[in-house]
Amino acid sequence: MMARRIAWLLLLAALAWAGWQWARRHPESLPWTPLVLDQPIGAFTGRKLAALTRDAPHCRALLAAAGVAFTALPPVRRGQCGYADGVALTLRPAWRPAPLHTACPVAAALVVWERQVVRPAALRHFGQPVVAIDQLGSYNCRTIAGSARQSEHATADAIDIAGVRLRDGTRISVNDDWQAAADPARSAFLHDIRDGACRLF
């Protein structure tokens, strides 16, 4: 009986040690560790990004710590529309058109998405880097198409991505390349970066 208890205690100690070692190597997957935009995406990264909605100064500090060039924008208010935490981003790879104006938490999520999802996916699928991301805008005082509900665009909390440009001049278009029949590699790339975005937004 005593030997069994000792064995269980040793097993629990080994599990605790393994868990502690794993937590040291993967701070991005713990709910209580601070968000760092250059870390890999973890289980709680999306929640940490969403929490930035309540803390614009911290959001801007995270962008600065990640080496992101940005300018804080003055608040905008138009009825139910507007934002108080807008930033204008100047990113590399370039966003077209530039600069990109969006709410700071969206900007922070885009930095993580571009660095941890889009860049690696482009190298996996095409063996070359991304030089530009085409976007259709963020802030737009409007409702969701076909409904009376306010769009996330009305508070600059959404962005529409149109495509990605590679170093050799190739443009991968969401509109033209989403379906696998058109070009399997392009379609797989777009689905990969969409799936990665779903972990953040």
Side-chain angles (χ1 to χ4, degrees), residues 8 42 60 107 198:
W8 274 109
R60 292 192 291 267
C198 289

Side-chain angles (χ1 to χ4, degrees), residues 30-75:
L30 302 175
W32 55 81
T33 55
L35 176 65
V36 178
L37 300 186
D38 283 323
Q39 283 183 341
I41 299 170
F44 293 90
T45 302
R47 292 185 187 181
K48 293 174 184 179
L49 287 164
L52 296 176
T53 301
R54 301 183 296 274
D55 195 347
H58 180 50
C59 182
R60 292 192 291 267
L62 286 174
L63 292 176
V68 177
F70 71 94
T71 303
L73 299 173

Side-chain angles (χ1 to χ4, degrees), residues 7-197:
W8 274 109
L9 287 173
L10 290 173
L11 176 61
L12 290 174
L15 289 173
W17 174 259
W20 181 70
Q21 290 294 325
W22 181 88
R24 287 183 60 196
R25 292 192 302 271
H26 301 282
E28 70 279 358
S29 291
L30 302 175
W32 55 81
T33 55
L35 176 65
V36 178
L37 300 186
D38 283 323
Q39 283 183 341
I41 299 170
F44 293 90
T45 302
R47 292 185 187 181
K48 293 174 184 179
L49 287 164
L52 296 176
T53 301
R54 301 183 296 274
D55 195 347
H58 180 50
C59 182
R60 292 192 291 267
L62 286 174
L63 292 176
V68 177
F70 71 94
T71 303
L73 299 173
V76 171
R77 180 54 54 195
R78 181 183 168 194
Q80 296 295 314
C81 300
Y83 52 81
D85 59 351
V87 294
L89 288 182
T90 306
L91 291 172
R92 291 291 179 271
W95 285 77
R96 298 180 180 176
L100 168 62
H101 292 198
T102 191
C104 189
V106 174
L110 287 172
V111 169
V112 177
W113 179 69
E114 180 264 314
R115 294 179 180 181
Q116 304 295 332
V117 177
V118 179
R119 288 184 192 179
L123 292 174
R124 279 196 315 274
H125 289 279
F126 308 109
Q128 57 179 306
V130 171
V131 297
I133 299 174
D134 297 328
Q135 52 95 10
L136 300 175
S138 177
Y139 177 66
N140 187 350
C141 186
R142 62 176 173 83
T143 58
I144 297 172
S147 79
R149 288 181 55 201
Q150 188 179 50
S151 167
E152 293 289 323
H153 286 279
T155 51
D157 288 315
I159 184 170
D160 293 326
I161 305 297
V164 173
R165 298 174 189 264
L166 304 179
R167 183 174 58 190
D168 68 357
T170 299
R171 182 177 185 269
I172 303 158
S173 164
V174 173
N175 187 58
D176 298 333
D177 299 316
W178 182 258
Q179 299 298 328
D183 186 314
R186 294 185 182 204
S187 177
F189 168 74
L190 290 172
H191 283 78
D192 278 358
I193 64 174
R194 184 277 313 270
D195 294 345

